Amino acid sequence: MYILTVVLIVLGCCGINTAADPPKPVWPLAFDVSFGLTVTASPPTFPKPLVNVTSHFYYDFNIQASVIDYPVRCIPIFAGAESAPCKVYFVPTNIVFTSPTQTPCIWFPGVGTVPPAFLAAFNFSTTTLGIDMLGVPHYSNFWVADGGFQYWTEVTTGRDVALIDGGSILWNFHYPLQVRPQNPATFAVPSNLLACPFATKVVDPLVKLSILHSKLQ
């Protein structure tokens, strides 16, 4: 927990409470963004942490889809998953997992992507410093939600800076988002998929966020 604890101290410093809550930012309908993935170690199954590993997020709410690409190291969803890359697809009715070590499968049925109002389940806490993927500090609004979710958005632009999923996973975004049309082929998944056979040990932050939003409906 040492690495994430240090990051939390940096991200949580310098809070300044304000009298009125700022408006909640809304995602563009289509964008992509790189981010650094940090996951704390959890011996014995996951003995070494991942630290700011380059990853990418693609989003197109015009087709209600998104993809998380972990091209270097996957999050430790199951034992050994972090030894290979993986992708997590959010399509309108399912969340799909793919990896060179695993046949594409439905990870969470009946759950789609996070809507543009991605902070709908969050409450404003304070203003503070958020750190992006490159280590650059941003004066940020700090938001919290059930389950320990924490999100930092840049005060003047509303753009994403960082998020913590309430557990052991931190995303530091490569500020800012790249707002541009997305190729629909990026979000294509095979048909006739079966349920994933593995027991989930760690849930991806955006999966948790999608589930949180589904409870608001």
Side-chain angles (χ1 to χ4, degrees):
M1 293 294 292
Y2 174 75
I3 292 174
L4 190 56
T5 300
V6 172
V7 175
L8 281 168
I9 292 172
V10 174
L11 288 173
C13 78
C14 312
I16 305 171
N17 289 317
T18 56
D21 291 356
K24 293 180 179 180
V26 176
W27 277 342
L29 290 180
F31 68 89
D32 64 280
V33 62
S34 295
F35 65 93
L37 169 71
T38 296
V39 185
T40 56
S42 181
T45 56
F46 183 55
K48 295 182 179 181
L50 303 180
V51 181
N52 207 32
V53 178
T54 299
S55 308
H56 209 93
F57 179 50
Y58 301 88
Y59 185 83
D60 191 343
F61 203 71
N62 296 298
I63 56 174
Q64 297 189 34
S66 56
V67 177
I68 304 167
D69 185 7
Y70 295 111
V72 182
R73 304 280 297 277
C74 189
I75 60 173
I77 293 172
F78 52 85
E82 71 280 1
S83 63
C86 71
K87 291 183 179 182
V88 181
Y89 292 81
F90 299 73
V91 291
T93 57
N94 291 310
I95 298 176
V96 174
F97 178 81
T98 70
S99 169
T101 64
Q102 171 65 53
T103 302
C105 57
I106 296 175
W107 192 13
F108 286 88
V111 180
T113 192
V114 176
F118 65 101
L119 290 177
F122 287 73
N123 293 310
F124 175 71
S125 176
T126 188
T127 48
T128 184
L129 289 181
I131 309 300
D132 70 19
M133 181 182 177
L134 301 181
V136 178
H138 297 264
Y139 187 51
S140 301
N141 291 322
F142 177 55
W143 310 84
V144 295
D146 291 346
F149 259 107
Q150 302 170 52
Y151 217 112
W152 289 259
T153 59
E154 211 270 338
V155 167
T156 56
T157 66
R159 293 303 188 218
D160 308 56
V161 177
L163 75 87
I164 291 175
D165 73 337
S168 61
I169 301 178
L170 166 70
W171 282 22
N172 295 95
F173 292 94
H174 190 300
Y175 182 92
L177 306 181
Q178 300 299 308
V179 180
R180 53 193 176 189
Q182 299 296 307
N183 185 346
T186 302
F187 310 93
V189 297
S191 58
N192 302 317
L193 296 176
L194 300 177
C196 292
F198 51 80
T200 299
K201 296 183 179 296
V202 174
V203 177
D204 184 90
L206 260 291
V207 172
K208 287 185 178 181
L209 190 54
S210 292
I211 293 172
L212 189 63
H213 276 271
S214 69
K215 294 178 180 179
L216 299 177
Q217 299 176 358

